[in-house]
Amino acid sequence: GDSVTQMEGPVTLSEEAFLTINCTYTATGYPSLFWYVQYPGEGLQLLLKATKADDKGSNKGFEATYRKETTSFHLEKGSVQVSDSAVYFCALTLPQGAQKLVFGQGTRLTINP
Amino acid sequence: DAGITQSPRHKVTETGTPVTLRCHQTENHRYMYWYRQDPGHGLRLIHYSYGVKDTDKGEVSDGYSVSRSKTEDFLLTLESATSSQTSVYFCAISESSEQYFGPGTRLTVT
């Protein structure tokens, strides 16, 4: 079945460090890929998405590129801030029917000043 | 922000009691979903709806039922709550590939 695997957390970085959170997927079709972010005590918010191979999604300084050849969608940010501390979820959906999301297990990110 | 509310936001209940969680939207979106969030598992789909009175099972549907009698409301019912159903429950809505999530309900079954 379809699945998403994220790098194990938690991840702790200093402010202004470079961030990479790895995400790989397995899917039977051609999925759309997403990164969601969850701040403490809140629901999930869509951070960015990509719908086809080689697309780059970007938002708030975060980027991720849809790599079909390596089935990956790694999240990157060049200089993290304390306010980026949150849990990040990689997810996929297949573009038909109810478009159910399949999530990775989440990666908790803490940024220290 | 998408207009999604969940009620209650917190609930503590005893094993064996019925529990109903409500999701309400003001966006008139066709699709609605219920997920549960547990450490190490991310979010897992319980049930979803693709229209009024049209629902289907997700990955972890055992022990749960749903109903959607109006476009704006999607109810999740635990007929007889068990401790394994202690979790945070999220509702989501969509009209396309993007889903928008509610604030969540923290349910504790003692």
Side-chain angles (χ1 to χ4, degrees):
Chain A
D2 303 326
S3 66
V4 175
T5 302
Q6 291 180 233
M7 66 184 288
E8 292 279 339
V11 174
T12 302
L13 296 172
S14 298
E15 204 165 23
E16 299 184 0
F18 184 86
L19 169 70
T20 300
I21 301 177
N22 290 338
C23 171
T24 58
Y25 68 90
T26 302
T28 51
Y30 297 96
S32 295
L33 302 174
F34 304 84
W35 278 99
Y36 281 84
V37 59
Q38 184 180 32
Y39 298 104
E42 299 184 9
L44 277 71
Q45 302 175 22
L46 178 63
L47 180 60
L48 54 84
K49 70 173 186 179
T51 57
K52 61 184 188 296
D54 300 324
D55 269 2
K56 178 185 284 188
S58 61
N59 187 25
K60 300 181 181 180
F62 291 89
E63 294 182 339
T65 301
Y66 190 144
R67 301 289 188 198
K68 187 169 182 290
E69 64 276 12
T70 54
T71 62
S72 65
F73 193 54
H74 305 321
L75 183 68
E76 297 182 335
K77 186 174 185 182
S79 177
V80 293
Q81 306 300 313
V82 171
S83 58
D84 294 327
S85 298
V87 181
Y88 292 82
F89 293 93
C90 186
L92 67 80
T93 186
L94 291 172
Q96 67 254 9
Q99 302 193 30
K100 297 168 283 185
L101 279 169
V102 175
F103 285 90
Q105 72 270 35
T107 302
R108 182 175 298 278
L109 174 66
T110 301
I111 307 299
N112 293 321
Chain B
D1 289 345
I4 313 169
T5 57
Q6 293 184 232
S7 58
R9 294 293 314 278
H10 302 271
K11 186 168 182 67
V12 179
T13 192
E14 294 184 348
T15 298
T17 60
V19 177
T20 296
L21 308 183
R22 179 180 183 240
C23 177
H24 178 78
Q25 63 152 327
T26 58
E27 306 296 320
N28 202 36
H29 283 353
R30 177 184 178 190
Y31 296 102
M32 299 185 75
Y33 311 80
W34 277 107
Y35 295 88
R36 60 178 289 173
Q37 182 179 20
D38 304 291
H41 291 279
L43 277 76
R44 292 178 292 175
L45 182 65
I46 305 171
H47 281 280
Y48 65 97
S49 169
Y50 46 96
V52 173
K53 297 186 179 174
D54 292 323
T55 66
D56 205 349
K57 296 179 180 180
E59 178 188 359
V60 290
S61 59
D62 287 349
Y64 301 94
S65 63
V66 290
S67 66
R68 191 170 179 198
S69 59
K70 298 184 290 185
T71 298
E72 58 265 36
D73 289 326
F74 192 33
L75 304 181
L76 177 71
T77 296
L78 291 65
E79 300 290 348
S80 177
T82 67
S83 59
S84 65
Q85 294 175 312
T86 291
S87 187
V88 181
Y89 291 85
F90 287 99
C91 174
I93 64 174
S94 80
E95 197 59 46
S96 62
S97 63
E98 297 179 17
Q99 291 189 20
Y100 300 95
F101 286 79
T105 294
R106 183 173 295 277
L107 176 68
T108 302
V109 183
T110 61

